Amino acid sequence: MQTRLRLLGWMARRFGGSKPRAMNLEGTLAMLPDSSLFPLYRDGLDPVPQLTEKPPVSRLPLPLGIRAWLVTGHEQVRAVLGDGGAFSNDFGKFAAKVGLTAGEQPGGLGMTDPPMHTRLRRMVMPEFTMHRLARLRPRIEAIVDDRLDAMAATGGPVDLWQEFALPVPALTICELLGVPYEDRDLVQKFSAARFDLGDGAYAPLDAINESRAYLRDLVADQRRRPGDGLIGSLIAAHGDELSDQELAGLADGVLTGGLETSASMLALGALVLMTQPGLAAPLRAGEPADALVEELLRYLTVVQVGFPRFAVRDLELDGASIKEGDIVMCSLIGADRDGVLGPGMDVIDAGRATSRSHLAFGHGLHRCVGAELARMELRIAYPALVRRFPEMRPALDPASLPMRRASIVFGLEALPVALVGPATH
């Protein structure tokens, strides 16, 4: 029983970002065999056949007798994500069993159920409407142009991940949250460190803890002097209803959800545009990027699985008998490559009628609140990139680029590119 609880504890910390105590992270990961982790593997940019050949609902083998299910069918994933009455996101029910303190609860929107989720989302959503986000467009355009200028100034191969894909969403989120200009380099450092495993498995967790500590201090400061960003707006409108912990959790959720995913999309999308230049030609000609962005979101689906759900009662899903308390993992990449959406789902077709049916942002109660912000960033960044550097090519064979392995958010660890001339490989 204790070993099972430790595994649930690892899941809470992995999704919530708290640093584990009195346990070894590598040891816990080692408990999970490849047969359990295959939903997080890719074959290049594609899901592995072991995932796509699965039936829509199947048992996910976990050790120690833990009952878990993998849902890969598009219709079935929508059914799970859309039924908050049958499937719970509330990790708090489980965190208490594994010794997490109140300060280590994941917080934010992703790990809560109604009515708390409804209350928090209602407060946050007005800041993410297209009307409200329109004020950020000039700043995003300026951030993109600044990063392109910086890349051009190097004159040689650059790491597109470090120089463009990561700083564009990081600086955009700083603008959104209302992070002071003098602190933005610090937030970028936290952002980069979240993905850096060079200093060991605990380094990203340390960075997350430092980021949350910074955000708690920022919330406390903005209670005294509210800014005009998301934190200041929430304080002005709902300051008496939200604790500092809740505000910091919401801010960290925006930072985490809007940074890693957008950075991965920018890098992987740029790789696709370089290796399939026919896709970039319409952007260079001034055509809108909207349809291509939707198809790239579907094709790449960088968030590979949704937050784990827990069945709140015995139920049947596509013939599978799911018991109360079972873990249910939804494969978003599996759903977005499902043949029920049409033929040829493993190729990119910007004219595909079903592109906008993708689940890259999730579905239902927990659909990503920052979806429109991500779309805005991608629609601005891709055309600007291919117009500024029309001959840009990977500086390495794309097959040798370092990819994250067994990561919830799929992505590159680096993307060296030559800005002009032929590829160097």
Side-chain angles (χ1 to χ4, degrees):
M1 181 65 175
Q2 287 302 313
T3 307
R4 295 176 68 180
L5 293 179
R6 283 199 296 274
L7 182 57
L8 283 172
W10 170 78
M11 292 177 67
R13 292 176 179 104
R14 175 62 186 87
F15 280 92
S18 296
K19 184 176 180 180
R21 293 196 310 260
M23 63 179 286
N24 181 281
L25 183 62
E26 291 92 338
T28 307
L29 279 169
M31 294 168 60
L32 299 180
D34 283 354
S35 59
S36 300
L37 294 174
F38 72 88
L40 304 181
Y41 294 158
R42 295 273 182 125
D43 179 7
L45 300 181
D46 298 325
V48 294
Q50 190 179 0
L51 178 72
T52 55
E53 292 170 1
K54 286 282 184 185
V57 183
S58 61
R59 284 293 294 270
L60 179 64
L62 288 181
L64 311 171
I66 295 175
R67 287 177 55 91
W69 298 86
L70 177 67
V71 186
T72 59
H74 188 270
E75 295 175 4
Q76 293 79 11
V77 167
R78 283 179 62 91
V80 172
L81 300 184
D83 192 347
F87 300 96
S88 171
N89 274 58
D90 187 2
F91 241 120
K93 297 173 182 176
F94 302 90
K97 298 179 182 179
V98 295
L100 294 180
T101 67
E104 293 172 317
Q105 296 288 340
L109 291 169
M111 300 292 187
T112 56
D113 285 343
M116 180 181 291
H117 176 271
T118 307
R119 165 180 163 263
L120 294 176
R121 192 177 179 97
R122 185 181 65 246
M123 295 177 186
V124 171
M125 277 306 297
E127 296 298 315
F128 288 93
T129 62
M130 286 302 293
H131 175 73
R132 178 70 173 149
L133 291 173
R135 78 192 192 282
L136 291 176
R137 174 173 286 277
R139 283 297 304 138
I140 297 173
E141 291 172 344
I143 289 167
V144 167
D145 287 343
D146 286 346
R147 296 315 309 159
L148 294 175
D149 289 344
M151 289 169 59
T154 66
V158 299
D159 183 351
L160 192 74
W161 166 258
Q162 288 290 341
E163 299 299 326
F164 187 78
L166 183 58
V168 166
L171 293 172
T172 297
I173 289 172
C174 285
E175 193 76 27
L176 173 70
L177 291 177
V179 173
Y181 279 94
E182 59 269 22
D183 291 349
R184 295 188 178 191
D185 285 345
L186 182 65
V187 172
Q188 271 198 269
K189 185 192 80 170
F190 291 150
S191 303
R194 285 174 183 250
F195 314 128
D196 185 3
L197 296 175
D199 292 328
Y202 288 136
L205 300 177
D206 288 334
I208 291 167
N209 287 336
E210 289 178 20
S211 174
R212 288 185 173 179
Y214 167 80
L215 289 170
R216 285 193 295 270
D217 290 343
L218 180 61
V219 165
D221 183 65
Q222 294 214 10
R223 281 203 186 272
R224 296 187 293 270
R225 297 179 296 276
D228 58 2
L230 173 64
I231 294 173
S233 296
L234 287 173
I235 289 171
H238 306 286
D240 294 338
E241 305 171 59
L242 289 166
S243 68
D244 284 6
Q245 181 75 6
E246 287 176 318
L247 274 166
L250 288 170
D252 190 66
V254 170
L255 180 63
T256 303
L259 173 63
E260 186 173 3
T261 53
S262 293
S264 290
M265 271 301 303
L266 281 173
L268 290 169
L271 177 63
V272 168
L273 293 174
M274 286 186 283
T275 54
Q276 301 185 45
L279 296 172
L283 302 184
R284 294 195 190 99
E287 292 188 18
D290 301 32
L292 178 59
V293 164
E294 295 306 317
E295 177 67 351
L296 286 173
L297 285 165
R298 180 204 66 80
Y299 177 77
L300 295 169
T301 308
V302 297
V303 180
Q304 308 210 78
V305 297
F307 286 115
R309 264 67 175 178
F310 300 89
V312 300
R313 62 175 182 269
D314 292 355
L315 56 93
E316 185 171 294
L317 179 66
D318 202 58
S321 296
I322 298 175
K323 304 297 183 184
E324 179 182 353
D326 283 3
I327 300 169
V328 180
M329 302 297 296
C330 289
S331 171
L332 304 182
I333 180 61
D336 279 344
R337 298 292 187 95
D338 192 342
V340 301
L341 294 172
M345 300 309 291
D346 289 331
V347 299
I348 299 172
D349 177 4
R352 193 187 301 276
T354 57
S355 287
R356 289 189 68 93
S357 300
H358 68 74
L359 299 174
F361 295 120
H363 175 67
L365 288 174
H366 291 276
R367 184 178 182 274
C368 176
V369 297
E372 296 310 319
L373 177 60
R375 285 188 167 110
M376 183 184 294
E377 291 174 354
L378 299 174
R379 290 168 182 171
I380 292 170
Y382 288 147
L385 182 65
V386 299
R387 290 170 191 161
R388 178 70 71 92
F389 303 116
E391 298 179 50
M392 183 174 66
R393 295 290 184 271
L396 299 175
D397 182 342
S400 68
L401 290 170
M403 300 277 188
R404 295 184 204 156
R405 184 176 185 272
S407 176
I408 292 167
V409 178
F410 175 64
L412 293 157
E413 294 180 349
L415 180 53
V417 299
L419 299 179
V420 295
T424 59
H425 67 270

